[in-house]
Amino acid sequence: MANSKKRVLSGIRATGRLHLGNYLGMVKGMIGLQESKEYEPFFMVADLHAMTTPYDPESLRRNVREVVLDYLAAGLNPEKASVFVQSLVREHVELAYLFSTVVSIARLSHLPTYKEKVKQYPENNTLALLYYPVLMASDILLYKTQALPVGDDQLPHLEIAREIAKKMNEKYGTDFPEPQQMKTEGHYVPSLTGEGKMSKSVEGSYINLTDSLEEIKRKLAKVPTDSGTQRGSIPEIGGVRSLYVFYKLYFPDDFEELFEKPYKSGRIRYDTIKNSLAERIYNELVPIQEKRRVLEAKPEHVDKVLIDGAEKARKIAQLTLEEVKEKMGLK
Ligand code: TRP
């Protein structure tokens, strides 16, 4: 029976094409899960969340499509997983409203993610932005998701989802699980600038899944490094640390030999390191790029995937919503 499987859900804001951080931090982990018989994965394109920062309707429409293509090209299998667009399953918004009755404004306004966005877009300090984590809790709990492969940057949001689950269970006797992070191999993918994580909103920080080998080389060439004659342990922050994290991900068996040792003895050659890294990354992206080209030529196939995905998601979402409405006194 399908519902004896554990549901896992993840989503990406529809603000553009996926980058390597999204892929390593989430998509790759989910692809692993879809092959296991234990899990039932849901992949969502968060179009409503994309409206919490300044956007234009035409780009939003295009970006939803870009994310779906990237998801499918990266290997999500719609036969095994449900791929859907958030706004097409209306229950997300309705449950979020019900959840908003158990979350305080103070709690939400102190979240680091909220504060950062307000700083970034001071003209856009909207109610929708404040409400972001409530909608995300709804995305997660509608499917009674227990574990999610999300990046570390999402942990404050996950904490809100847990608090909501707990409050709802205490107050209304629902049975929401308290969702946990499922750590993927790439749960923290650093920025190419050497500061913070890879992010679409930071120019020069990311590699796109559609980048050519030349582009990847060009981007890696810009990662700031030291003179290469330093000795001692690898720095905790900065460009050298970013390269090191990537090296570990892409050369799991020989990063000590190829990176750590030469660094420690002051003989590291960053141009060699960067070139071999660019090639490994590109090799992983080639099949994704090929599949994307095939999918781009089959828009009806993509439409069908989204219709089926929304239908599968809606079935479960409706059950949860009905249950919550009843328990909260709406029925
Ligand atoms: N906040 C997530 C991000 O910025 C996107 C997201 C929206 C999400 N709803 C979700 C992730 C539900 C996991 C589960 O990447």
Side-chain angles (χ1 to χ4, degrees), residues 138-152:
S138 168
D139 299 335
I140 299 168
L141 298 174
L142 255 181
Y143 305 94
K144 303 206 171 160
T145 310
Q146 294 165 358
L148 308 80
V150 286
D152 291 352

Side-chain angles (χ1 to χ4, degrees), residues 284-300:
E284 184 169 34
L285 299 185
V286 170
I288 300 178
Q289 297 180 357
E290 279 168 4
K291 185 133 188 239
R292 199 181 207 278
R293 277 191 284 276
V294 174
L295 286 163
E296 277 166 2
K298 295 199 289 187
E300 345 57 60

Side-chain angles (χ1 to χ4, degrees), residues 106-117:
R107 176 71 177 96
L108 295 175
S109 58
H110 288 126
L111 278 189
T113 41
Y114 171 71
K115 290 194 199 157
E116 271 160 37
K117 287 283 185 254

Side-chain angles (χ1 to χ4, degrees), residues 69-327:
L69 284 172
D70 278 333
Y71 268 162
L72 297 175
L76 293 190
N77 181 347
E79 314 260 309
K80 294 180 179 162
S82 307
V83 183
F84 69 98
V85 178
Q86 187 183 31
S87 66
L88 296 184
V89 182
R90 295 177 190 201
E91 286 77 6
H92 287 247
V93 176
E94 201 172 338
L95 184 67
Y97 177 78
L98 298 177
F99 282 173
S100 76
T101 64
V102 302
V103 197
S104 79
I105 294 173
R107 176 71 177 96
L108 295 175
S109 58
H110 288 126
L111 278 189
T113 41
Y114 171 71
K115 290 194 199 157
E116 271 160 37
K117 287 283 185 254
V118 172
K119 216 168 166 189
Q120 204 178 349
Y121 305 104
E123 306 291 304
N124 197 66
N125 187 357
T126 63
L127 211 44
L129 187 62
L130 185 68
Y131 193 76
Y132 189 114
V134 183
L135 180 59
M136 182 160 157
S138 168
D139 299 335
I140 299 168
L141 298 174
L142 255 181
Y143 305 94
K144 303 206 171 160
T145 310
Q146 294 165 358
L148 308 80
V150 286
D152 291 352
D153 60 309
Q154 297 300 313
L155 290 176
H157 292 151
L158 220 50
E159 183 60 36
I160 296 276
R162 276 199 292 274
E163 285 171 22
I164 290 179
K166 220 189 286 172
K167 271 240 178 79
M168 289 296 297
N169 294 348
E170 277 165 18
K171 252 183 134 158
Y172 300 108
T174 47
D175 64 348
F176 289 117
E178 290 176 32
Q180 305 291 332
Q181 179 190 33
M182 192 179 247
K183 274 213 182 202
T184 56
E185 204 190 0
H187 59 95
Y188 186 83
V189 179
S191 162
L192 301 184
T193 62
E195 270 176 63
K197 60 156 193 136
M198 191 176 276
S199 158
K200 259 176 282 189
S201 49
V202 181
E203 220 20 74
S205 83
Y206 57 87
I207 289 170
N208 277 326
L209 297 188
T210 44
D211 282 351
S212 65
L213 179 59
E214 288 321 303
E215 277 164 319
I216 298 172
K217 282 190 175 168
R218 200 163 37 75
K219 288 178 177 180
L220 286 181
K222 290 197 187 137
V223 177
T225 52
D226 51 39
S227 63
T229 54
Q230 264 72 1
R231 286 162 196 263
S233 51
I234 303 206
E236 287 298 320
I237 51 168
V240 174
R241 166 59 57 167
S242 296
L243 286 178
Y244 176 66
V245 174
F246 280 112
Y247 230 74
K248 255 176 129 165
L249 284 168
Y250 280 93
F251 293 84
D253 300 326
D254 34 20
F255 68 94
E256 283 172 354
E257 201 54 43
L258 299 176
F259 198 114
E260 263 182 41
K261 277 196 192 157
Y263 186 89
K264 286 181 176 156
S265 63
R267 278 199 299 267
I268 192 161
R269 292 281 315 263
Y270 291 116
D271 51 348
T272 320
I273 290 280
K274 286 176 171 182
N275 274 330
S276 55
L277 187 56
E279 271 158 26
R280 277 275 161 112
I281 293 175
Y282 181 66
N283 283 344
E284 184 169 34
L285 299 185
V286 170
I288 300 178
Q289 297 180 357
E290 279 168 4
K291 185 133 188 239
R292 199 181 207 278
R293 277 191 284 276
V294 174
L295 286 163
E296 277 166 2
K298 295 199 289 187
E300 345 57 60
H301 169 71
V302 178
D303 291 341
K304 171 109 178 30
V305 165
L306 292 180
I307 292 170
D308 292 351
E311 209 169 291
K312 274 197 262 174
R314 203 175 291 126
K315 268 201 193 122
I316 299 162
Q318 275 169 352
L319 288 177
T320 308
L321 184 63
E322 287 309 300
E323 181 194 330
V324 174
K325 283 173 92 170
E326 191 170 58
K327 293 198 159 139

